Amino acid sequence: MAARLAALVAALLAGCVEPAPGSGSPRRTADRAAAAAYLDPATPPRHATRAVFGNLIALEGWDLVPESLAPGATAILTLRWRALDEVDGSWGVFVHVDGRVGQPRLNADHWPAGGTWPTDSWSRGDRVRDPVRFTIPPGWRGEALDVWVGWYQGEERLRIVDAAGIKTDGRDRLLLATVPLAPAP
């Protein structure tokens, strides 16, 4: 009886152990040919920055075209990520564009690399060019917009562990840029 009880306890305890991040939990294999357009050959971004999310992913910089926006304009924000380690789970990127005079938030949430290269297939050192498109609604006004970024999985956000002097809001959102907003044409 004691041997059975010991075996049962051992089995239950073994079932409660979860693998640590990067320890061999199931990972996807990305189609690198399909993701080739998003591989970043370490070309310098126009705006270099350094922020670390969860000790797993670093934001190394970004580009915004055009650099100044107007109501009705469409912009492409290209984020430059680098994997610091293998990433467990598939994390999405959120981009929040906040006006300063009561406009509703623009959400440009997306899967990185156009969905072709999920985070749970990233390897240490991978550099990912991650473009996202958004349009400023025609009725927006004010002098500037704040652009915030971060990572999410369901209701959970990847914690900012190093923002190198960049403003955060205490809710794991990084203030990427304050972008001038020109008057409507």
Side-chain angles (χ1 to χ4, degrees):
M1 178 73 163
R4 278 188 180 170
L5 183 57
L8 178 61
V9 168
L12 288 172
L13 290 175
C16 293
V17 176
E18 294 183 17
S23 66
S25 59
R27 295 178 47 78
R28 286 191 268 184
T29 303
D31 179 351
R32 290 210 175 232
Y38 302 101
L39 294 173
D40 191 350
T43 56
R46 182 172 177 109
H47 302 278
T49 192
R50 172 79 175 160
V52 177
F53 295 83
N55 287 321
L56 298 171
I57 301 170
L59 176 64
E60 296 188 323
W62 54 277
D63 302 294
L64 181 66
V65 177
E67 292 247 341
S68 178
L69 299 173
T74 297
I76 298 176
L77 172 66
T78 302
L79 302 164
R80 306 294 190 86
W81 305 109
R82 183 168 51 90
L84 301 176
D85 203 346
E86 289 185 349
V87 179
D88 285 340
S90 186
W91 290 85
V93 178
F94 66 80
V95 176
H96 295 164
V97 180
D98 293 344
R100 293 184 165 185
V101 289
Q103 300 96 330
R105 170 176 293 150
L106 293 179
N107 287 305
D109 297 1
H110 63 283
W111 298 111
T116 65
W117 199 354
T119 56
D120 60 354
S121 67
W122 292 10
S123 297
R124 181 188 311 246
D126 281 346
R127 284 191 156 86
V128 179
R129 198 177 57 75
D130 181 25
V132 59
R133 177 184 304 263
F134 61 89
T135 301
I136 304 303
W140 275 35
R141 61 192 189 292
E143 294 181 8
L145 307 169
D146 294 323
V147 181
W148 299 85
V149 298
W151 290 89
Y152 73 98
Q153 187 177 62
E155 296 298 316
E156 181 183 359
R157 289 187 177 170
L158 201 52
R159 192 170 62 85
I160 298 171
V161 295
D162 179 10
I166 302 168
K167 182 179 176 181
T168 65
D169 68 354
R171 296 180 316 208
D172 294 311
R173 292 190 326 157
L174 179 83
L175 180 60
L176 185 68
T178 297
V179 179
L181 182 64

